[in-house]
Amino acid sequence: MRKVYASVGRLLERGESVVLISRPFGALYDLIEAVNHSVSELGLTKPTFHVVSPVARASLQLCDMFGEWMSAERQRFLFEPRSPMVHGELLESKQLRVHPTTDAFLLEAREPFVLFLCSPDQAADDFTRSIDLLADRRVHFFVL
């Protein structure tokens, strides 16, 4: 995965956008954190991160509430005023935006961007349409 994150960083450094196709739960939280960390390590201006999924907003909000599965370091932040997870901080600062559909995302997208497209949530026709809409833009796809 380090090669993927390094590739994402190089593409963003060149001003290009990236679409990461993944599941809407579990790995999504880690992906957001890892890509955010990679961008920070490169000293790049952080792009806006976007998630397209009809259930992601609820999933991202609930994630911070269930601390028993978090690492000891993150559990320390459960009762602090800050979010224990990076995506919580990004949501608060509006660097992470959640959209129910690709159409909603496209209304607001400014390049370069990082889009997490959560495929299992979407019907096959919706997912195919999302790929078609994004293919018209200069983006790089990673299927994870």
Side-chain angles (χ1 to χ4, degrees), residues 40-56:
S40 294
E41 276 190 337
L42 290 170
L44 301 175
T45 301
K46 289 192 180 178
T48 303
F49 297 98
H50 298 270
V51 176
V52 171
S53 166
V55 298

Side-chain angles (χ1 to χ4, degrees), residues 12 34 48 61 65-66 97 112:
L12 292 170
T48 303
Q61 290 171 338
M65 295 171 60
F66 297 107
R97 301 188 181 180

Side-chain angles (χ1 to χ4, degrees), residues 131-142:
I131 299 297
D132 288 343
L133 287 170
L134 292 165
D136 291 341
R137 294 174 169 250
R138 188 173 176 191
V139 298
H140 300 270
F141 291 89
F142 292 88

Side-chain angles (χ1 to χ4, degrees), residues 35-100:
V35 172
N36 183 61
H37 180 73
S38 294
V39 169
S40 294
E41 276 190 337
L42 290 170
L44 301 175
T45 301
K46 289 192 180 178
T48 303
F49 297 98
H50 298 270
V51 176
V52 171
S53 166
V55 298
R57 179 162 304 282
S59 171
L60 289 167
Q61 290 171 338
L62 282 174
C63 178
D64 282 343
M65 295 171 60
F66 297 107
E68 61 272 5
W69 56 268
M70 291 181 186
S71 67
E73 179 183 342
R74 287 192 176 144
Q75 284 180 359
R76 287 187 322 196
F77 296 114
L78 276 176
F79 303 105
E80 300 284 324
R82 66 170 273 218
S83 173
M85 304 286 283
V86 169
H87 71 267
E89 294 172 14
L90 293 172
L91 281 168
E92 287 175 21
S93 67
K94 299 194 188 305
Q95 282 186 276
L96 173 62
R97 301 188 181 180
V98 182
H99 312 278

Side-chain angles (χ1 to χ4, degrees), residues 15-35:
E16 298 181 39
S17 296
V18 176
V19 177
L20 297 158
I21 300 171
S22 71
R23 297 192 159 278
F25 305 108
L28 175 62
Y29 316 121
D30 295 329
L31 283 171
I32 292 169
E33 185 168 349
V35 172

